[in-house]
């Protein structure tokens, strides 16, 4: 086991810059584990990174890698990790061969590969009863939606929740969580996806192409997974309302980000934002919710690693139902 397949790109640009290349299998430090990756999902931040829209984070060194999340199995445990010390306890997620899911880290990319070296604090047992593709479809969406609705918006029973992008990876989980919290859920999605989003539990689904913010009523919580028209959707908040933004306008990134940042500190109905950086505790919470609450995975497509460029193209084209998945093995 000397080298591995990995998704790479040698310059910023369209999805076609992505290719399947080879890299050495990472060596783990004593405080890391080696995970053999089964599946990853494609997320908006990776698309923006590949296109060169966040160079302040991604830098200018090439080749660059992509992928932030993964489902796989532990292949090797570092001699100095807490997992190695707890092997005798026989706990799930502690042993070589155990099925886990996790994230690379706030500024790290590279899960779209056969192996990743990772801290034990960034993995947890993956949900039982799901395929790797199904499980990873819930990972980024589950951790983001749970943090947004429970921790940032503090959504309460009986409140009115608006989910922009109700059919997407985050939105599809947020609709389900919102109903679980006892909220009245309105979702914006395409007309073609309306029945699908209703099936997730939405009380009302409106076509985002024909519904303008002025056509909508007031909401206690707005979850924005799209990033456009932020001022207009913020204006829909009822007194005491909360808006959580997890996306910016990719066509106008700097003005969009500036508005969001200013809105977090000035004026009423401040926008909540956060940097997704799930730890083992949050990952384990999502695993428990998936297993006990029956949160449905939503997989749009499953492609091999060699077709990662096509997956990026599909995400950019829109009309997504759930997640585009890359199956590594």
């Amino acid at each position: 086991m000397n080298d591995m397949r990995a998704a790479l790109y040698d310059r910023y640009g369209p999805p076609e810059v992505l290719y399947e290349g080879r890299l050495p299998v990472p060596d783990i430090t004593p405080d890391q584990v080696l995970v053999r990756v089964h599946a990853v999902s494609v997320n908006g931040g990776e698309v923006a990174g590949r296109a060169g829209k966040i160079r302040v984070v991604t830098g200018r060194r090439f080749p660059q890698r992509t992928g932030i999340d993964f489902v796989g199995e532990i292949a090797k445990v570092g001699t100095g990790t807490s997992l190695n010390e707890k092997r005798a306890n026989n706990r799930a997620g502690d042993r070589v061969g155990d099925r886990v899911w996790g994230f690379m880290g706030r500024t790290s990319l590279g899960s779209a590969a056969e192996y990743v070296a990772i801290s034990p604090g960034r993995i947890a047992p993956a949900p039982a009863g799901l395929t790797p593709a199904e499980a990873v479809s819930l990972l980024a969406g589950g951790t983001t939606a749970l943090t947004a609705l429970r921790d940032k918006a503090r959504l309460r029973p009986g409140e009115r929740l608006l989910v922009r992008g109700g059919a997407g990876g985050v939105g599809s989980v947020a609709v389900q969580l919102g109903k679980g919290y006892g909220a009245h859920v309105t979702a914006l999605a395409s007309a073609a996806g309306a029945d699908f989003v209703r099936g997730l539990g939405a009380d009302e689904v409106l076509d985002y192409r024909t519904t303008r913010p002025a056509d909508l009523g007031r909401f206690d919580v707005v979850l924005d997974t799209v990033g456009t028209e932020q001022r207009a959707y913020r204006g829909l908040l009822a007194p005491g309302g909360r808006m959580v933004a997890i996306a910016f306008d990719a066509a106008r990134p700097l003005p969009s980000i500036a508005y969001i940042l200013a809105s977090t500190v000035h004026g009423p109905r401040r926008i909540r934002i956060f940097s997704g950086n799930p730890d083992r505790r949050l990952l384990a919470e999502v695993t428990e919710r998936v297993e006990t609450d029956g949160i449905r995975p939503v997989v749009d497509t499953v492609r091999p690693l060699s077709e990662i460029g096509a997956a990026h193209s599909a995400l950019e084209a829109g009309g997504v139902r759930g997640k585009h998945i890359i199956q590594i093995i």
Side-chain angles (χ1 to χ4, degrees):
M1 186 172 67
N2 297 318
D3 62 1
M4 64 177 184
R5 295 177 297 125
L8 304 170
Y9 57 99
D10 296 327
R11 61 181 176 86
Y12 294 121
E16 290 75 20
V17 302
L18 288 161
Y19 64 93
E20 179 185 308
R22 302 198 75 86
L23 292 173
V25 172
D27 293 322
I28 61 170
T29 61
D31 60 347
Q32 289 182 318
V33 298
L34 186 69
V35 175
R36 187 183 187 193
V37 178
H38 293 171
V40 303
S41 73
V42 178
N43 299 279
E46 299 153 48
V47 170
R50 183 221 73 231
K53 295 179 179 178
I54 50 174
R55 300 185 192 199
V56 65
V57 176
T58 55
R60 298 180 180 275
R61 296 183 64 182
F62 295 97
Q64 294 213 12
R65 299 177 60 181
T66 189
I68 62 170
D69 59 15
F70 57 88
V71 169
E73 64 180 82
I74 296 177
K76 186 177 181 181
V77 177
T79 57
T81 67
S82 59
L83 297 191
N84 187 279
E85 296 166 4
K86 295 174 182 174
R87 279 180 182 175
N89 295 335
N90 203 37
R91 297 194 327 172
D94 285 354
R95 304 152 302 196
V96 170
D98 281 352
R99 193 163 170 265
V100 296
W101 64 357
F103 280 89
M104 296 300 293
R106 182 178 281 118
T107 60
S108 299
L109 295 172
S111 65
E114 289 184 280
Y115 291 91
V116 295
I118 198 78
S119 163
R122 307 206 61 81
I123 60 173
L130 299 179
T131 67
E134 290 171 337
V136 82
S137 77
L138 290 170
L139 185 48
T143 55
T144 301
L146 185 61
T147 301
L149 297 183
R150 183 192 65 185
D151 302 336
K152 298 300 178 179
R154 300 186 183 277
L155 183 65
R156 297 185 293 267
E159 290 193 314
R160 292 179 57 82
L161 167 66
L162 175 66
V163 178
R164 295 190 68 196
V170 176
S172 60
V173 180
V175 167
Q176 297 179 70
L177 285 177
K179 287 305 296 179
Y181 285 131
H184 180 282
V185 180
T186 299
L188 293 176
S190 67
D195 289 342
F196 160 71
V197 179
R198 288 191 192 95
L200 297 176
D203 298 286
E204 186 177 18
V205 183
L206 302 173
D207 186 350
Y208 76 91
R209 292 187 178 92
T210 59
T211 303
R212 309 311 308 157
D215 301 327
L216 298 165
R218 296 288 182 178
F219 296 91
D220 301 292
V221 175
V222 173
L223 175 59
D224 180 17
T225 74
V226 180
T228 58
E229 300 180 271
Q230 296 143 335
R231 188 183 302 273
Y233 281 97
R234 185 187 181 197
L236 301 180
L237 292 175
R242 293 86 72 199
M243 179 171 171
V244 183
I246 65 164
F248 58 85
D249 187 346
R252 303 171 60 250
L254 292 181
S256 176
I257 293 171
Y259 177 77
I260 291 175
L261 292 177
S263 301
T264 65
V265 295
H266 295 296
R269 305 181 181 94
R270 294 175 182 174
I271 296 177
R272 277 80 165 168
I273 59 174
F274 60 95
S275 176
N277 194 31
D279 58 13
R280 185 176 177 90
R281 177 193 57 80
L282 180 56
L283 292 167
E285 285 186 49
V286 176
T287 296
E288 182 178 2
R289 283 185 172 269
V290 171
E291 292 179 342
T292 60
D293 298 343
I295 296 175
R296 287 173 49 189
V298 184
V299 176
D300 192 309
T301 62
V302 180
R303 293 179 170 90
L305 183 60
S306 60
E307 295 180 14
I308 192 166
H312 274 231
S313 293
L315 183 59
E316 288 182 333
V320 178
R321 292 192 184 187
K323 301 293 285 190
H324 292 289
I325 307 300
I326 300 299
Q327 187 165 294
I328 309 296
I329 62 169

